[in-house]
Amino acid sequence: MSFRPVKAESTAQPFIEGAGVHLHRAFGFGDPSQFDPFLLFDDFRNDDPKAFEKGFPWHPHRGIETITYVLEGEVEHGDSLGNRGILGPGSVQWMTAGSGIMHQEMPRGNTRGQMHGFQLWANLPASLKMTTPRYQDISGDDIPEVIDDDGTRVKVIVGSFWGKSGPVDGIAAEPMYLDISLPPNTRKTLPVDTYSHAFAYIFAGSGRFRDASRPYGVRVEKEVSGEEINIRDLSGNRTLVQFDTGDEVTVQSGEEGMRFLLISGRPLQEPVAWHGPIVMNTRQELMQAMQDLQNGTFIKSEH
């Protein structure tokens, strides 16, 4: 077994998207190889309905998958193919845009006006860019949760973990998407696929990830065996942690516990031609998508 050192860390930055939704973007519209197969990750968390109620009106998608995970409030969605639905607390939607859809997402706060959720974009390989669009809407009750003896709780949204498999299937990048809650002062080692890119996003509490070297600001502690290890301190709120190679990560929660997403996926290693919510492999394909939008042939109704 080899643990994954911390490759990079950053804080999600304020951003305005859609018709004026205030959110925090952890990554997106940068170097697509950095998080391959993932393209973008947003944290839309707000207690003021005026900051999100105008939502994300009708817009196109092609060549990607969008994964929406709702913690508080609701997201009402609809598309040009006639699909309609409401994502409630704890629910997930994995939308494969494929050959193209027009859709909208309108968030609503809970009884206290609070809205919290995440959206992740995953790239599709060239062989599936023009596949038939599909949805996987998963209720929170259908997401398995594993509870370890020390109180660690893991919701398995995608992939297999500790004997449980998530309800979302048929995804090209073989991803793992976990929602992990650690009790206070708990150390945990978690398996991660060796061949996948992996990152963690801390959104509650605080903690530390074990590192392979001793970079500036990292505290050195001694394990029970007396062996020194290096621990990278993280404040927690909206912290993105990108891991290097290996097949496990070690995390230590702080005094108030820690909750984070652990996400991994096998890189596609394909060229990317990207414009907003349309991601193809070549500029020619991207220009064709723009032309399809203009002449009304973006939606492939023959599917």
Side-chain angles (χ1 to χ4, degrees), residues 22-70:
H22 292 249
L23 49 80
H24 282 74
R25 179 156 293 165
F27 64 85
F29 299 105
D31 178 1
S33 67
Q34 187 177 8
F35 291 92
D36 183 19
F38 306 113
L39 298 162
L40 175 148
F41 183 80
D42 284 343
D43 178 349
F44 50 96
R45 181 191 334 180
N46 212 296
D47 296 340
D48 180 7
K50 292 181 181 178
F52 60 79
E53 61 187 3
K54 293 183 179 179
F56 306 90
W58 295 100
H59 58 281
H61 280 285
R62 177 180 284 182
I64 65 172
E65 300 181 286
T66 63
I67 304 94
T68 306
Y69 180 30
V70 178

Side-chain angles (χ1 to χ4, degrees), residues 164-175:
K164 296 287 186 178
S165 295
V168 179
D169 61 11
I171 306 303
E174 301 180 38

